[in-house]
Amino acid sequence: MSVRVVLADDQPLIRSGLRVLIDATEDLRVVGEAATGAEAVRLVREQEPDVVVMDIRMPVMDGIEATRHITAGTGPARVLMLTTFDDDEYVYSALRAGASGFLVKDMALDDILGAIRVVAAGDALIAPSVTRRLIGHFAAGAPAPAPSPARSRMDDAITEREREVLTLVGRGRSNAEIAEELHISPATAKAHVARLFTKLDARDRVHLVIIAYEMGLVAPGP
């Protein structure tokens, strides 16, 4: 069965290019195009796609607000944001809104298709070339998280080792990198991350990055 995709971007040339790229595959299919966030929300209700490729900056309703509406619904759609380096200021808000990943508009075409497949499979993805830069920028640009009972409960729910793993996830480390840094096996690192998903009720790895920041485990960086 094909992965159903909605394209949301106010630039017709970008939508057209992505459609040609996606429709040339056997496992991906474009089921709708939107030029505004509001149109994207409507199309998701009508078409029930698996993935929405969403531009951040759009008229009427921007991509962040549209993402918030889509992820609050009961449908299967997961949102993959289109971004440029100039959009760094929006990254934290988009993550909080429920985006499952980010694409850079000038990524290699195969990487864009791969990212759509990754998100459709239920994983989270931030383009490797921008992962740590984006995390550093949204942390630096967002206000410092204030202490809260919710944060204290999350902190109490995890072990010291899980706290170390969560900190490294928050810094953009892969499971293999976590394993190497903590001198544990990749399987053990993966198990720790899986337990963090359960204990912290995180929807995906991007959500863990947000939690790490909000718990004060990730310091703002340049």
Side-chain angles (χ1 to χ4, degrees):
M1 183 179 295
S2 297
V3 173
R4 295 162 54 82
V5 181
V6 162
L7 303 175
D9 195 299
D10 62 335
Q11 298 181 50
L13 283 177
I14 290 180
R15 294 200 311 271
S16 174
L18 287 171
R19 176 182 275 276
V20 170
L21 173 67
I22 291 169
D23 284 347
T25 69
E26 295 182 355
D27 61 327
L28 306 175
R29 179 163 61 95
V30 175
V31 296
E33 295 184 27
T36 71
E39 289 179 8
V41 173
R42 176 182 58 78
L43 273 175
V44 167
R45 285 198 301 262
E46 293 175 356
Q47 299 294 334
E48 297 189 341
D50 302 296
V51 177
V52 182
V53 180
M54 180 89 72
D55 189 18
I56 289 181
R57 295 172 176 170
M58 287 187 292
V60 182
M61 177 190 293
D62 66 24
I64 294 171
E65 184 63 24
T67 297
R68 191 173 291 116
H69 282 282
I70 290 167
T71 58
T74 58
R78 296 168 66 83
V79 178
L80 191 56
M81 283 290 191
L82 283 170
T83 186
T84 67
F85 286 138
D86 293 334
D87 290 325
D88 284 350
E89 62 192 277
Y90 297 105
V91 171
Y92 183 72
S93 296
L95 290 172
R96 289 298 306 271
S100 292
F102 287 85
L103 289 180
V104 182
K105 288 185 179 180
D106 60 0
M107 283 178 70
L109 299 184
D110 285 346
D111 290 339
I112 292 176
L113 294 175
I116 293 171
R117 294 182 180 108
V118 165
V119 170
D123 294 324
L125 179 142
I126 303 179
S129 61
V130 297
T131 299
R132 293 183 181 91
R133 186 175 187 273
L134 289 177
I135 290 169
H137 273 267
F138 82 67
S148 70
R151 276 183 58 202
S152 297
R153 285 194 298 273
M154 286 190 292
D155 197 53
D156 292 341
I158 62 177
T159 66
E160 185 60 36
R161 175 61 89 186
E162 289 165 349
R163 189 175 291 106
E164 291 175 334
V165 171
L166 180 59
T167 299
L168 294 175
V169 171
R171 292 174 182 165
R173 303 291 198 273
S174 67
N175 287 350
E177 290 170 330
I178 291 170
E180 182 176 358
E181 192 157 337
L182 296 181
H183 306 290
I184 58 179
S185 72
T188 299
K190 183 177 180 180
H192 282 308
V193 172
R195 282 195 290 272
L196 286 169
F197 284 141
T198 301
K199 289 185 175 183
L200 301 179
D201 195 26
R203 63 179 173 268
D204 53 36
R205 203 175 186 94
V206 174
H207 196 185
L208 285 181
V209 172
I210 299 170
I211 292 171
Y213 173 70
E214 292 185 335
M215 288 178 64
L217 300 178
V218 180

mmCIF file of all heavy atoms in Angstrom, residues 80-81 83 85 100-108 111-112 115 119 124-135 172 206:
data_model
loop_
_atom_site.group_PDB
_atom_site.id
_atom_site.type_symbol
_atom_site.label_atom_id
_atom_site.label_comp_id
_atom_site.label_asym_id
_atom_site.label_seq_id
_atom_site.Cartn_x
_atom_site.Cartn_y
_atom_site.Cartn_z
ATOM 1 N N LEU A 80 5.844 16.529 8.439
ATOM 2 C CA LEU A 80 7.254 16.718 8.131
ATOM 3 C C LEU A 80 7.409 18.151 7.646
ATOM 4 O O LEU A 80 6.857 18.528 6.613
ATOM 5 C CB LEU A 80 7.650 15.718 7.042
ATOM 6 C CG LEU A 80 9.118 15.512 6.712
ATOM 7 C CD1 LEU A 80 9.919 15.119 7.948
ATOM 8 C CD2 LEU A 80 9.244 14.437 5.634
ATOM 9 N N MET A 81 8.134 18.964 8.403
ATOM 10 C CA MET A 81 8.263 20.384 8.087
ATOM 11 C C MET A 81 9.309 20.632 7.003
ATOM 12 O O MET A 81 10.365 20.016 6.990
ATOM 13 C CB MET A 81 8.674 21.174 9.332
ATOM 14 C CG MET A 81 7.557 21.413 10.316
ATOM 15 S SD MET A 81 6.366 22.588 9.637
ATOM 16 C CE MET A 81 5.382 22.911 11.102
ATOM 17 N N THR A 83 11.893 23.446 5.820
ATOM 18 C CA THR A 83 12.506 24.590 6.471
ATOM 19 C C THR A 83 13.757 25.018 5.721
ATOM 20 O O THR A 83 14.270 24.317 4.859
ATOM 21 C CB THR A 83 12.855 24.267 7.937
ATOM 22 O OG1 THR A 83 13.332 25.437 8.593
ATOM 23 C CG2 THR A 83 13.934 23.201 8.033
ATOM 24 N N PHE A 85 17.531 27.505 6.665
ATOM 25 C CA PHE A 85 18.277 27.998 7.821
ATOM 26 C C PHE A 85 17.664 29.286 8.372
ATOM 27 O O PHE A 85 17.776 29.582 9.549
ATOM 28 C CB PHE A 85 19.742 28.238 7.448
ATOM 29 C CG PHE A 85 20.529 26.972 7.282
ATOM 30 C CD1 PHE A 85 21.434 26.831 6.246
ATOM 31 C CD2 PHE A 85 20.360 25.909 8.151
ATOM 32 C CE1 PHE A 85 22.170 25.661 6.090
ATOM 33 C CE2 PHE A 85 21.084 24.739 8.008
ATOM 34 C CZ PHE A 85 21.994 24.619 6.977
ATOM 35 N N SER A 100 6.957 15.880 13.351
ATOM 36 C CA SER A 100 7.749 14.663 13.524
ATOM 37 C C SER A 100 9.125 14.767 12.893
ATOM 38 O O SER A 100 9.940 13.861 13.032
ATOM 39 C CB SER A 100 7.013 13.471 12.915
ATOM 40 O OG SER A 100 5.858 13.175 13.662
ATOM 41 N N GLY A 101 9.386 15.849 12.177
ATOM 42 C CA GLY A 101 10.697 15.987 11.574
ATOM 43 C C GLY A 101 10.804 17.232 10.721
ATOM 44 O O GLY A 101 9.845 17.986 10.566
ATOM 45 N N PHE A 102 12.001 17.421 10.194
ATOM 46 C CA PHE A 102 12.304 18.595 9.388
ATOM 47 C C PHE A 102 13.059 18.201 8.141
ATOM 48 O O PHE A 102 13.936 17.345 8.167
ATOM 49 C CB PHE A 102 13.155 19.588 10.183
ATOM 50 C CG PHE A 102 12.387 20.292 11.231
ATOM 51 C CD1 PHE A 102 12.207 19.712 12.478
ATOM 52 C CD2 PHE A 102 11.813 21.526 10.992
ATOM 53 C CE1 PHE A 102 11.471 20.335 13.447
ATOM 54 C CE2 PHE A 102 11.076 22.159 11.956
ATOM 55 C CZ PHE A 102 10.890 21.574 13.192
ATOM 56 N N LEU A 103 12.695 18.833 7.025
ATOM 57 C CA LEU A 103 13.430 18.707 5.775
ATOM 58 C C LEU A 103 13.991 20.071 5.411
ATOM 59 O O LEU A 103 13.341 21.093 5.623
ATOM 60 C CB LEU A 103 12.506 18.267 4.642
ATOM 61 C CG LEU A 103 11.979 16.842 4.644
ATOM 62 C CD1 LEU A 103 11.076 16.651 3.425
ATOM 63 C CD2 LEU A 103 13.115 15.853 4.607
ATOM 64 N N VAL A 104 15.203 20.071 4.864
ATOM 65 C CA VAL A 104 15.758 21.291 4.306
ATOM 66 C C VAL A 104 15.421 21.299 2.824
ATOM 67 O O VAL A 104 15.563 20.294 2.134
ATOM 68 C CB VAL A 104 17.290 21.334 4.504
ATOM 69 C CG1 VAL A 104 17.862 22.628 3.956
ATOM 70 C CG2 VAL A 104 17.615 21.191 5.984
ATOM 71 N N LYS A 105 14.943 22.424 2.328
ATOM 72 C CA LYS A 105 14.417 22.461 0.961
ATOM 73 C C LYS A 105 15.458 22.122 -0.098
ATOM 74 O O LYS A 105 15.106 21.706 -1.197
ATOM 75 C CB LYS A 105 13.807 23.836 0.681
ATOM 76 C CG LYS A 105 12.497 24.067 1.412
ATOM 77 C CD LYS A 105 11.859 25.379 1.025
ATOM 78 C CE LYS A 105 10.527 25.572 1.754
ATOM 79 N NZ LYS A 105 9.873 26.839 1.412
ATOM 80 N N ASP A 106 16.748 22.303 0.230
ATOM 81 C CA ASP A 106 17.773 21.991 -0.777
ATOM 82 C C ASP A 106 18.428 20.632 -0.541
ATOM 83 O O ASP A 106 19.503 20.346 -1.050
ATOM 84 C CB ASP A 106 18.841 23.089 -0.824
ATOM 85 C CG ASP A 106 19.556 23.279 0.505
ATOM 86 O OD1 ASP A 106 19.230 22.554 1.461
ATOM 87 O OD2 ASP A 106 20.442 24.158 0.572
ATOM 88 N N MET A 107 17.763 19.754 0.236
ATOM 89 C CA MET A 107 18.285 18.398 0.441
ATOM 90 C C MET A 107 18.295 17.621 -0.867
ATOM 91 O O MET A 107 17.543 17.923 -1.789
ATOM 92 C CB MET A 107 17.416 17.631 1.447
ATOM 93 C CG MET A 107 17.636 17.998 2.895
ATOM 94 S SD MET A 107 16.520 17.067 3.985
ATOM 95 C CE MET A 107 17.198 15.406 3.832
ATOM 96 N N ALA A 108 19.140 16.602 -0.935
ATOM 97 C CA ALA A 108 19.135 15.701 -2.085
ATOM 98 C C ALA A 108 17.765 15.046 -2.205
ATOM 99 O O ALA A 108 17.104 14.765 -1.199
ATOM 100 C CB ALA A 108 20.219 14.626 -1.914
ATOM 101 N N ASP A 111 17.084 11.919 -0.301
ATOM 102 C CA ASP A 111 16.958 12.147 1.136
ATOM 103 C C ASP A 111 15.548 12.608 1.498
ATOM 104 O O ASP A 111 15.010 12.246 2.550
ATOM 105 C CB ASP A 111 17.975 13.194 1.611
ATOM 106 C CG ASP A 111 19.404 12.672 1.575
ATOM 107 O OD1 ASP A 111 19.583 11.440 1.568
ATOM 108 O OD2 ASP A 111 20.326 13.496 1.543
ATOM 109 N N ILE A 112 14.943 13.410 0.636
ATOM 110 C CA ILE A 112 13.570 13.868 0.878
ATOM 111 C C ILE A 112 12.613 12.679 0.848
ATOM 112 O O ILE A 112 11.767 12.514 1.730
ATOM 113 C CB ILE A 112 13.161 14.931 -0.159
ATOM 114 C CG1 ILE A 112 13.969 16.218 0.054
ATOM 115 C CG2 ILE A 112 11.657 15.222 -0.071
ATOM 116 C CD1 ILE A 112 13.707 17.286 -0.990
ATOM 117 N N ALA A 115 13.105 10.603 3.933
ATOM 118 C CA ALA A 115 12.543 11.231 5.126
ATOM 119 C C ALA A 115 11.042 11.002 5.210
ATOM 120 O O ALA A 115 10.496 10.741 6.285
ATOM 121 C CB ALA A 115 12.847 12.733 5.118
ATOM 122 N N VAL A 119 9.202 8.990 8.403
ATOM 123 C CA VAL A 119 8.121 9.553 9.211
ATOM 124 C C VAL A 119 6.850 8.726 9.059
ATOM 125 O O VAL A 119 6.122 8.495 10.026
ATOM 126 C CB VAL A 119 7.892 11.031 8.830
ATOM 127 C CG1 VAL A 119 6.624 11.571 9.474
ATOM 128 C CG2 VAL A 119 9.092 11.870 9.270
ATOM 129 N N ALA A 124 10.777 9.574 14.013
ATOM 130 C CA ALA A 124 10.983 11.016 13.900
ATOM 131 C C ALA A 124 12.285 11.267 13.178
ATOM 132 O O ALA A 124 13.208 10.456 13.217
ATOM 133 C CB ALA A 124 11.009 11.664 15.275
ATOM 134 N N LEU A 125 12.376 12.395 12.512
ATOM 135 C CA LEU A 125 13.569 12.669 11.741
ATOM 136 C C LEU A 125 13.831 14.158 11.665
ATOM 137 O O LEU A 125 12.931 14.953 11.409
ATOM 138 C CB LEU A 125 13.410 12.112 10.329
ATOM 139 C CG LEU A 125 14.577 12.334 9.363
ATOM 140 C CD1 LEU A 125 14.757 11.108 8.486
ATOM 141 C CD2 LEU A 125 14.330 13.561 8.490
ATOM 142 N N ILE A 126 15.086 14.520 11.921
ATOM 143 C CA ILE A 126 15.562 15.861 11.611
ATOM 144 C C ILE A 126 16.757 15.664 10.694
ATOM 145 O O ILE A 126 17.613 14.830 10.959
ATOM 146 C CB ILE A 126 15.983 16.648 12.864
ATOM 147 C CG1 ILE A 126 14.829 16.745 13.858
ATOM 148 C CG2 ILE A 126 16.437 18.048 12.489
ATOM 149 C CD1 ILE A 126 15.175 17.486 15.134
ATOM 150 N N ALA A 127 16.823 16.395 9.611
ATOM 151 C CA ALA A 127 17.890 16.211 8.643
ATOM 152 C C ALA A 127 19.246 16.195 9.340
ATOM 153 O O ALA A 127 19.548 17.098 10.119
ATOM 154 C CB ALA A 127 17.844 17.342 7.612
ATOM 155 N N PRO A 128 20.058 15.169 9.098
ATOM 156 C CA PRO A 128 21.338 15.059 9.803
ATOM 157 C C PRO A 128 22.203 16.303 9.689
ATOM 158 O O PRO A 128 22.909 16.669 10.621
ATOM 159 C CB PRO A 128 22.001 13.858 9.106
ATOM 160 C CG PRO A 128 20.873 13.046 8.589
ATOM 161 C CD PRO A 128 19.816 14.038 8.193
ATOM 162 N N SER A 129 22.148 16.988 8.537
ATOM 163 C CA SER A 129 23.005 18.149 8.331
ATOM 164 C C SER A 129 22.649 19.326 9.225
ATOM 165 O O SER A 129 23.432 20.247 9.393
ATOM 166 C CB SER A 129 22.928 18.593 6.867
ATOM 167 O OG SER A 129 21.611 18.968 6.532
ATOM 168 N N VAL A 130 21.443 19.309 9.790
ATOM 169 C CA VAL A 130 21.031 20.463 10.595
ATOM 170 C C VAL A 130 20.619 20.099 12.020
ATOM 171 O O VAL A 130 20.259 20.970 12.805
ATOM 172 C CB VAL A 130 19.856 21.216 9.917
ATOM 173 C CG1 VAL A 130 20.274 21.791 8.590
ATOM 174 C CG2 VAL A 130 18.646 20.326 9.749
ATOM 175 N N THR A 131 20.684 18.819 12.389
ATOM 176 C CA THR A 131 20.163 18.395 13.686
ATOM 177 C C THR A 131 20.688 19.235 14.837
ATOM 178 O O THR A 131 19.931 19.890 15.553
ATOM 179 C CB THR A 131 20.501 16.914 13.955
ATOM 180 O OG1 THR A 131 19.897 16.133 12.940
ATOM 181 C CG2 THR A 131 19.953 16.484 15.300
ATOM 182 N N ARG A 132 21.996 19.209 15.039
ATOM 183 C CA ARG A 132 22.544 19.882 16.225
ATOM 184 C C ARG A 132 22.414 21.394 16.107
ATOM 185 O O ARG A 132 22.227 22.096 17.086
ATOM 186 C CB ARG A 132 23.988 19.437 16.431
ATOM 187 C CG ARG A 132 24.072 17.955 16.808
ATOM 188 C CD ARG A 132 25.497 17.502 17.104
ATOM 189 N NE ARG A 132 25.509 16.090 17.436
ATOM 190 C CZ ARG A 132 25.675 15.114 16.562
ATOM 191 N NH1 ARG A 132 25.845 15.401 15.282
ATOM 192 N NH2 ARG A 132 25.663 13.854 16.928
ATOM 193 N N ARG A 133 22.526 21.913 14.886
ATOM 194 C CA ARG A 133 22.382 23.360 14.693
ATOM 195 C C ARG A 133 20.968 23.811 15.049
ATOM 196 O O ARG A 133 20.774 24.813 15.737
ATOM 197 C CB ARG A 133 22.691 23.707 13.234
ATOM 198 C CG ARG A 133 22.719 25.212 12.978
ATOM 199 C CD ARG A 133 23.146 25.476 11.524
ATOM 200 N NE ARG A 133 23.337 26.893 11.305
ATOM 201 C CZ ARG A 133 22.367 27.717 10.952
ATOM 202 N NH1 ARG A 133 21.145 27.246 10.797
ATOM 203 N NH2 ARG A 133 22.597 28.991 10.770
ATOM 204 N N LEU A 134 19.966 23.071 14.602
ATOM 205 C CA LEU A 134 18.591 23.427 14.910
ATOM 206 C C LEU A 134 18.325 23.352 16.409
ATOM 207 O O LEU A 134 17.705 24.237 16.994
ATOM 208 C CB LEU A 134 17.621 22.492 14.166
ATOM 209 C CG LEU A 134 17.524 22.683 12.650
ATOM 210 C CD1 LEU A 134 16.601 21.649 12.047
ATOM 211 C CD2 LEU A 134 17.033 24.074 12.321
ATOM 212 N N ILE A 135 18.802 22.268 17.038
ATOM 213 C CA ILE A 135 18.582 22.115 18.474
ATOM 214 C C ILE A 135 19.215 23.286 19.231
ATOM 215 O O ILE A 135 18.620 23.879 20.124
ATOM 216 C CB ILE A 135 19.139 20.766 18.968
ATOM 217 C CG1 ILE A 135 18.269 19.626 18.438
ATOM 218 C CG2 ILE A 135 19.180 20.705 20.494
ATOM 219 C CD1 ILE A 135 18.880 18.249 18.635
ATOM 220 N N GLY A 172 21.055 15.625 20.209
ATOM 221 C CA GLY A 172 21.005 15.158 18.833
ATOM 222 C C GLY A 172 21.783 13.896 18.554
ATOM 223 O O GLY A 172 22.019 13.542 17.396
ATOM 224 N N VAL A 206 11.849 13.297 18.498
ATOM 225 C CA VAL A 206 11.804 14.760 18.531
ATOM 226 C C VAL A 206 11.163 15.242 19.830
ATOM 227 O O VAL A 206 11.613 16.201 20.455
ATOM 228 C CB VAL A 206 11.036 15.310 17.308
ATOM 229 C CG1 VAL A 206 10.861 16.810 17.415
ATOM 230 C CG2 VAL A 206 11.785 14.972 16.028
#
